[in-house]
Amino acid sequence: MADDETPQGLPEPPPPGASALPSGTFDGTAVLVTGAGTGLGKGIAREFARLGASIVIASRKQENLDAGRAAIEELGAPVETAICDIRDPESISAMLDSAVAAFGTPQVCVNNAAANFPVPAEDMSPNAWRAVVDVTLNGTFFVAREFARRHLAAKTPASIINVGASYAWTGGPGFAHSAAAKAGVKNMVESLAVEWGPYGIQVNGLVPGLIPHEDMTADITANLQRADPEKDLLQPAMRVGTRREFGWAATFLASPYARFITGHTLVVDGANWQRRFMTNPTVVPIRDQMNRGPFNPEG
């Protein structure tokens, strides 16, 4: 880049506390967010709460539920929490029963909970593969299915948002398990939108870019810590995203202003996954990127 072409990047978003939709957009609406005790899920839940929603948080861990409850109560919004293992349909049914008892049937479901960790495919155990696919793909479907069945029975409209990942399109070296599962989640959005659209149920996907939060995998955290913001131009946007930007996108997709949007996956990443080089960059095998030695079949 020439010396006189100082990159500016995308402008910063409005400050925390601002909302992308009119105040009260979700008054009287219950919103279920899985995995909303920490990370992006908490950011999504807080933006719905700012707009008047009652929040239902589902997680396997009580400490995450407690953190999520505190974050919503801080905004003065009603909140219910429920221990739930989304791999277990009976646990999901019990969680939704708790939500119904607190606020009535949720009208919005955000499938945010997922599992992920980096590992070369040849080192991945069958149990590691199953664990990630079971939570990320099967769990997302089981929650969406139980949520939709209740609305289909009641003949009421609803909105489902499945949180995905950009490597559903591109593949994800080091994340073969998660990339395959997220590709399934994206396809699920497109299939279920057609199946359930006639009954008033929207199904959309939402994909985050680099948005710092406490649930990031260690490799992403390390890359951010090593980067020099003055010289390492890591993204076309010239900045990372914020949780509130991701939350604003979620609230829009579930709002009355997006009723004709379904079967779509919205990527909120400042065009990062679409960037290309005019010349091919050097290929660095994933084992080298992860500082692993040669493959040893004995472990």
Side-chain angles (χ1 to χ4, degrees):
M1 183 172 294
D3 291 341
D4 60 345
E5 295 181 21
T6 303
Q8 300 298 318
L10 298 180
E12 292 292 324
S19 294
L21 296 169
S23 176
T25 294
F26 290 98
D27 282 356
T29 300
V31 176
L32 163 66
V33 187
T34 65
T38 59
L40 295 178
K42 183 167 70 174
I44 291 171
R46 283 175 62 85
E47 295 308 324
F48 275 105
R50 292 185 199 281
L51 292 167
S54 301
I55 305 299
V56 180
I57 298 172
S59 175
R60 283 185 291 172
K61 298 180 179 179
Q62 185 62 50
E63 61 266 31
N64 290 348
L65 293 177
D66 293 342
R69 176 184 290 277
I72 301 304
E73 288 180 340
E74 180 183 49
L75 300 175
V79 57
E80 175 73 7
T81 63
I83 290 284
C84 181
D85 183 345
I86 63 172
R87 298 170 298 183
D88 178 4
E90 291 186 4
S91 180
I92 294 166
S93 181
M95 175 268 294
L96 276 166
D97 287 344
S98 296
V100 170
F103 304 126
T105 303
Q107 295 100 314
V108 178
C109 172
V110 181
N111 279 307
N112 168 74
N116 196 15
F117 52 86
V119 58
E122 64 273 17
D123 290 345
M124 190 184 307
S125 70
N127 283 340
W129 173 271
R130 293 189 191 100
V132 169
V133 171
D134 209 12
V135 173
T136 303
L137 179 58
N138 297 344
T140 295
F141 174 72
F142 293 154
V143 174
R145 174 184 178 274
E146 180 64 22
F147 176 83
R149 282 168 60 87
R150 295 180 183 229
H151 283 282
L152 290 167
K155 296 182 172 58
T156 48
S159 180
I160 297 170
I161 298 173
N162 292 341
V163 176
S166 60
Y167 50 39
W169 288 271
T170 64
F175 295 94
H177 46 0
S178 178
K182 289 296 191 181
V185 168
K186 176 184 176 295
N187 187 274
M188 190 192 310
V189 165
E190 294 153 4
S191 298
L192 298 182
V194 175
E195 287 199 33
W196 294 341
Y199 308 102
I201 300 175
Q202 294 169 269
V203 186
N204 287 297
L206 187 61
V207 169
L210 185 55
I211 300 174
H213 58 87
E214 65 270 32
D215 291 340
M216 292 188 303
T217 55
D219 63 308
I220 297 175
T221 302
N223 286 338
L224 280 175
Q225 291 172 342
R226 286 194 298 267
D228 182 344
E230 297 297 325
K231 63 180 182 180
D232 294 331
L233 310 183
L234 300 180
Q235 301 197 93
M238 305 296 293
R239 68 172 176 87
V240 297
T242 65
R243 279 190 274 193
R244 61 188 182 276
E245 289 176 292
F246 198 60
W248 292 334
T251 56
F252 170 70
L253 285 177
S255 76
Y257 306 95
R259 288 288 186 254
F260 202 55
I261 301 173
T262 190
H264 177 70
T265 294
L266 175 62
V267 182
V268 184
D269 81 334
N272 192 52
W273 79 284
Q274 292 152 322
R275 62 181 178 172
R276 297 293 181 269
F277 293 92
M278 293 183 67
T279 58
N280 289 334
T282 301
V283 173
V284 181
I286 194 65
R287 298 192 74 87
D288 293 346
Q289 293 183 46
M290 297 180 65
N291 295 315
R292 296 203 177 199
F295 171 61
N296 179 3
E298 304 302 324

